[in-house]
Amino acid sequence: MADDVVYMQEAIKQAEQAKEVNEVPIGAVIVHQGDVIARGYNVRETSQTTLSHAELIAIQEANRKIGSWRLEDCTLYVTLEPCPMCAGAIVQSRIKRVVFGAPDPKAGCAGTLMNLLQDERFNHRADMTSGVLQDECRALLTDFFRELRSKK
């Protein structure tokens, strides 16, 4: 879907902002009725708080923008497959759809290690699309960690 590519490019811009401040380059945007209503990127190293993932920052901003904890008509775009913490927040916020770029073999909970987003035991399940701009999203992370290792 062409819109998925456009919005994933916006998430990539967020990931690039994270990289500029020496954070792991993961970015997210939330779209509601065709408009980007929230943005976020990882700031875990800067903030030294566990909950500072791109998705959670974007979810909180979207909650404020919509005026509700329920994000039922929203789509979340994120450059890396959500971890268990973020997947749980996605389910709890009732986000309708999740689109991610690169799979996460170490913590991915949208199909790689498990699929919390579509587990039938929960009272909400999100539609999901994976692999959108996967190569670009993966390269952001690969290049970041390669540079980090070369500095050590």
Side-chain angles (χ1 to χ4, degrees):
M1 179 181 237
D3 286 346
D4 285 350
V5 169
V6 169
Y7 295 126
M8 187 60 73
Q9 289 169 334
E10 290 298 313
I12 288 171
K13 288 177 187 175
Q14 292 298 301
E16 289 168 344
Q17 286 186 24
K19 184 179 178 182
E20 287 175 20
V21 294
N22 296 316
E23 291 282 350
V24 177
I26 300 168
V29 298
I30 295 179
V31 175
H32 179 255
Q33 297 177 348
D35 294 321
V36 175
I37 62 163
R39 302 173 195 289
Y41 58 84
N42 269 16
V43 291
R44 192 167 60 173
E45 294 302 320
T46 304
S47 69
Q48 287 299 300
T49 58
T50 305
L51 303 178
S52 296
H53 285 201
E55 300 96 317
L56 298 182
I57 291 166
I59 287 170
Q60 288 181 319
E61 185 178 324
N63 292 147
R64 286 190 292 273
K65 181 85 173 193
I66 297 239
S68 174
W69 64 270
R70 292 177 180 268
L71 302 176
E72 295 169 318
D73 295 321
C74 295
T75 300
L76 168 72
Y77 291 84
V78 62
T79 57
L80 183 66
E81 179 180 4
C83 72
M85 175 177 66
C86 293
I90 291 163
V91 169
Q92 290 298 310
S93 67
R94 309 296 196 267
I95 287 175
K96 183 176 186 173
R97 182 168 176 247
V98 175
V99 180
F100 69 87
D104 184 352
K106 294 182 180 178
C109 284
T112 298
L113 298 179
M114 64 181 64
N115 189 347
L116 291 176
L117 298 181
Q118 297 179 323
D119 190 312
E120 293 186 9
R121 295 172 293 180
F122 292 124
N123 63 343
H124 175 78
R125 284 165 293 289
D127 294 332
M128 191 175 62
T129 303
S130 62
V132 175
L133 298 180
Q134 178 174 323
D135 292 340
E136 293 90 328
C137 293
R138 181 181 288 136
L140 274 169
L141 291 160
T142 303
D143 294 347
F144 176 80
F145 286 112
R146 183 179 301 123
E147 287 174 28
L148 197 62
R149 284 190 299 275
S150 72
K151 290 178 184 177
K152 288 185 176 180

